[in-house]
Amino acid sequence: MRRVRTKLPMLPAVAVVAVAVAGTAFAVGTASAETTTTASDAALVATLDQVLANSRLAGSTTALQVRDATTGSVVYSHNADQRVIPASNEKLMTSAAALEVLGPGYKFHTVARYSGTKSGTTVSGNLYLRGQGDPTMTYAQFDAMAAAVARAGIKKVTGSLVADDSWFDRTPLGLDWSWQDETYADNAPISALTVAADANFNAGAVSLVTKPGSAAGKAGVVAVTPANSVVKIVNKTVTGAAGSATSISATRGHATNTITLTGSIPLRGAAKTSLVSVQDPAKVAIGVFRDALKRKGVTVAGATTTGTTPSSAKTITDHASIPLSQLLPYFLKLSNNGHAELLTKAMGRAKTPGSAGSWSTGLAAATGALRTLGVDTGKITMGDGSGLTRRDWLTAAQIANLLQRAQARPWFATWYAALPIAGDPSPLVGGTLASRMRGTPAAGNLHGKTGTLTGVNALSGYVADRSGRKLLFSSVSNAAQSNVSDILDTAAVAIASSGGPSAANLRARQLPPVPRHVVTRNGEDVECSWVPGAC
């Protein structure tokens, strides 16, 4: 099956035409009368055909499009207009839309206010904590806000401590999210007032670190971050013999904040980290804040409750998050689902400021932004911001359109740098590509976004060939009978290996081997970043 390199004019949107080559019709975008095929590109076309002929792809829908990033010319196209489920390649769409709608400088705000009157060190009224969905609110941030309340001269609040999460709607979970993943941080409920488990800003979750006890047979030692009195820990772990296997498992009971840890950890063995979602992020966040207030000498006489901050309330402190430009590496390199959904609802709030941010308003805002970026939104469906739902549909050609058009946006350099870089072991550089394509021409070169669900693999991004020409590509595979990320990696390595003096001799058999790097959890394929230490 042959593919051609077709020159594309730079247009706001790409129309579709059919070009027949060797009896096969396929969509390549808007074509000019001129078709140029260099010997190098002809060899790349043949090589990619060989890669996609792998028997493991039999029965699947696998799409791939490659373009010259500078001119937009299509170098290779296979099933590029077939609608496919993108998994976390959906985050390319969401992140670009967020940069358009919110801007790189966008910050989430968490604000403490009080109602009533302040006399001396006493507030006669309520203390409110209002969130806007900040995923970077760690234990330290809540501690700093409590310290700011104390510095404002407040020692006692006679009323209640009120959690205000009304910035967003109170729909916590996305459509079609898998019930069996309820425990995990990558499926955490979405709330405008939330708490981060760790320095990677896994919002709506807690981090549980299990260490061995003092002797074999004794219980393991579990530490919870952020420390709080809302989540209940049931520790059923045991310390195993030195050198035995680690088998720690953490499960949160349905619709509860009770987390049970079971399994064994070997004596003198390495600590095991588990990231677990919480049932009600706002409840946990306000609990962490209340504990912090107590540490700072601030007493709240009333109960902890939920409500809406009155417009007459007086501001004590307003905590601003890091800007979106700095959040992006945590979002994209670590494929953070919570960040995607929080940004989606934030886009909805920004576009409809009179109503709570929601998935419906946020996805409408994202779709509009993508349309202006040249994505044919008639060919895509956005069911959430992260790619967890299987109601997300798009085409490789539309991802390629986004990659093409994004290069002209003022935020492109920030976005490009936030994409995982193949083969780089640093978590916040290589991200989900840290262990992939090492020792190949793609290593340290390819900036791309992964996508992984059972039956779905995706890889899209930018890579330079051996001549220095920048190429962009999108590859998505659905319904293969096993994980095929290594085949998509091989295609990416082929693209990076093209160009240069000997490029006309490129063949699939000459490519460096690409090992399979598959991470599973409960028998399901997942992004490696969703399992601590797996990348």
Side-chain angles (χ1 to χ4, degrees):
M1 185 181 295
R2 295 293 306 277
R3 305 290 184 266
V4 297
R5 178 171 179 250
T6 305
K7 204 166 191 178
L8 293 180
M10 300 298 288
L11 296 173
V14 176
V16 175
V17 297
V19 177
V21 179
T24 301
F26 60 99
V28 297
T30 300
S32 68
E34 177 188 1
T35 299
T36 58
T37 303
T38 65
S40 172
D41 284 350
L44 176 58
V45 164
T47 301
L48 292 175
D49 277 346
Q50 293 166 12
V51 172
L52 295 189
N54 191 303
S55 61
R56 286 166 51 209
L57 295 177
S60 72
T61 299
T62 299
L64 171 61
Q65 188 169 90
V66 183
R67 298 185 188 181
D68 184 303
T70 302
T71 67
S73 299
V74 171
V75 177
Y76 184 89
S77 195
H78 175 78
N79 288 339
D81 284 304
Q82 294 292 317
R83 284 161 57 87
V84 285
I85 298 169
S88 286
N89 258 212
E90 185 76 5
K91 294 182 176 78
L92 290 169
M93 299 287 180
T94 301
S95 56
L99 287 164
E100 284 290 296
V101 174
L102 303 173
Y106 177 82
K107 297 179 180 180
F108 299 90
H109 288 262
T110 306
V111 185
R113 295 188 173 101
Y114 71 88
S115 62
T117 61
K118 179 176 180 290
S119 177
T121 60
T122 300
V123 167
S124 298
N126 295 332
L127 179 60
Y128 296 84
L129 186 67
R130 186 181 197 190
Q132 294 182 358
D134 184 359
T136 71
M137 287 297 294
T138 61
Y139 180 93
Q141 304 298 348
F142 283 107
D143 194 73
M145 289 197 73
V149 173
R151 284 197 304 272
I154 298 172
K155 296 296 182 182
K156 182 178 180 180
V157 177
T158 63
S160 299
L161 178 61
V162 183
D164 183 352
D165 62 350
S166 61
W167 194 256
F168 296 159
D169 68 3
R170 290 188 171 92
T171 302
L173 300 173
L175 194 66
D176 288 347
W177 289 8
S178 177
W179 64 268
Q180 70 181 22
D181 293 334
E182 180 181 1
T183 289
Y184 303 115
D186 46 274
N187 279 247
I190 305 304
S191 173
L193 185 59
T194 192
V195 60
D198 54 20
N200 287 331
F201 308 133
N202 282 291
V206 292
S207 173
L208 306 173
V209 177
T210 305
K211 296 180 179 180
S214 57
K218 290 187 175 293
V221 179
V222 179
V224 183
T225 304
N228 69 91
S229 55
V230 177
V231 175
K232 178 183 178 182
I233 304 299
V234 179
N235 181 11
K236 295 184 177 181
T237 64
V238 65
T239 303
S244 61
T246 298
S247 60
I248 299 297
S249 177
T251 303
R252 178 170 61 79
H254 175 64
T256 75
N257 273 320
T258 299
I259 299 172
T260 302
L261 290 102
T262 57
S264 176
I265 187 165
L267 185 67
R268 296 185 293 277
K272 168 72 173 181
T273 299
S274 304
L275 294 172
V276 179
S277 70
V278 298
Q279 166 62 18
D280 185 342
K283 184 176 182 179
V284 177
I286 200 69
V288 171
F289 186 52
R290 186 168 194 129
D291 292 344
L293 289 168
K294 185 177 180 180
R295 289 194 302 273
K296 304 303 178 184
V298 180
T299 301
V300 181
T304 301
T305 186
T306 59
T308 302
T309 307
S311 58
S312 59
K314 303 168 186 67
T315 298
I316 304 169
T317 183
D318 182 339
H319 172 78
S321 72
I322 57 176
L324 176 55
S325 59
Q326 294 179 27
L327 180 66
L328 278 178
Y330 298 92
F331 172 22
L332 293 175
K333 289 183 185 292
L334 303 180
S335 202
N336 191 296
N337 296 323
H339 296 180
E341 309 305 351
L342 289 164
L343 287 168
T344 297
K345 291 196 175 189
M347 284 189 275
R349 180 78 192 206
K351 283 296 188 180
T352 56
S355 62
S358 66
W359 267 294
S360 60
T361 58
L363 293 173
T367 301
L370 291 169
R371 189 179 301 115
T372 67
L373 284 169
V375 175
D376 184 349
T377 55
K379 295 184 176 180
I380 70 169
T381 302
M382 296 185 73
D384 66 6
S386 63
L388 278 174
T389 179
R390 292 178 186 262
R391 293 178 189 248
D392 292 322
W393 293 92
L394 45 66
T395 72
Q398 297 311 315
I399 296 178
N401 284 347
L402 174 64
L403 296 172
Q404 186 74 45
R405 291 296 300 277
Q407 296 174 104
R409 303 304 297 148
W411 42 259
F412 175 71
T414 298
W415 192 60
Y416 177 77
L419 294 171
I421 300 175
D424 192 302
S426 174
L428 282 175
V429 180
T432 55
L433 287 176
S435 297
R436 291 169 58 173
M437 293 171 275
R438 289 182 177 177
T440 74
N445 170 11
L446 185 151
H447 289 229
K449 182 70 196 79
T450 57
T452 310
L453 293 172
T454 299
V456 181
N457 291 110
L459 178 64
S460 302
Y462 305 89
V463 66
D465 70 10
R466 290 187 182 277
S467 72
R469 180 175 64 160
K470 180 64 70 70
L471 297 159
L472 62 87
F473 69 96
S474 176
S475 59
V476 186
S477 181
N478 283 187
Q481 291 188 333
S482 63
N483 188 297
V484 294
S485 59
D486 58 313
I487 298 177
L488 302 189
D489 287 356
T490 300
V493 169
I495 299 167
S497 301
S498 65
S502 59
N505 299 319
L506 182 67
R507 296 293 183 271
R509 64 179 180 275
Q510 298 169 339
L511 297 174
V514 177
R516 301 180 75 178
H517 182 73
V518 180
V519 175
T520 61
R521 184 178 63 194
N522 284 343
E524 300 292 328
D525 291 357
V526 294
E527 293 271 38
C528 64
S529 55
W530 300 350
V531 178
C535 286

